Amino acid sequence: MGMIYTTEGVSTSTITATGDVTSVPARVLSMYIIGEATAGSVVLKDSSGGATLATINTPAGATLTQNIDFGSEDLNFKVKPNATLTNIASVFFVIG
């Protein structure tokens, strides 16, 4: 298994079901999404009941992938990032 090296203060998280990405405030820098056979979506909120910061729709196709890079602006979650997954196998997050 390969090592993942990150810049100081940057970490990673993978989720396979709806829930919190981290338990603390964080910035989402990028995401790698693996879809399922049916079109789906990833909805990012600032906590489970908080404001929606982004909705990413995915095409139908088992194992299709999408890489989303938020660039230098990133998405800033003041409470904690939460993701609602619909027809998504997994999401790998790079967070700071």
Side-chain angles (χ1 to χ4, degrees):
M1 182 170 144
M3 296 278 292
I4 296 176
Y5 294 96
T6 60
T7 303
E8 185 176 340
V10 176
S11 61
T12 62
S13 175
T14 299
I15 63 171
T16 57
T18 294
D20 294 334
V21 176
T22 68
S23 60
V24 297
R27 296 173 296 117
V28 172
L29 307 172
S30 65
M31 305 165 39
Y32 181 76
I33 303 167
I34 301 176
E36 292 184 343
T38 305
S41 65
V42 178
V43 178
L44 298 174
K45 293 185 174 192
D46 195 3
S47 77
S48 61
T52 298
L53 274 65
T55 299
I56 297 103
N57 294 310
T58 62
T63 71
L64 283 180
T65 63
Q66 286 184 299
N67 187 39
I68 310 294
D69 182 7
F70 295 107
S72 62
E73 296 301 316
D74 57 53
L75 291 179
N76 189 15
F77 295 83
K78 295 181 182 189
V79 178
K80 61 184 171 182
N82 179 278
T84 300
L85 308 184
T86 304
N87 298 324
I88 300 295
S90 68
V91 183
F92 174 81
F93 292 90
V94 178
I95 51 181

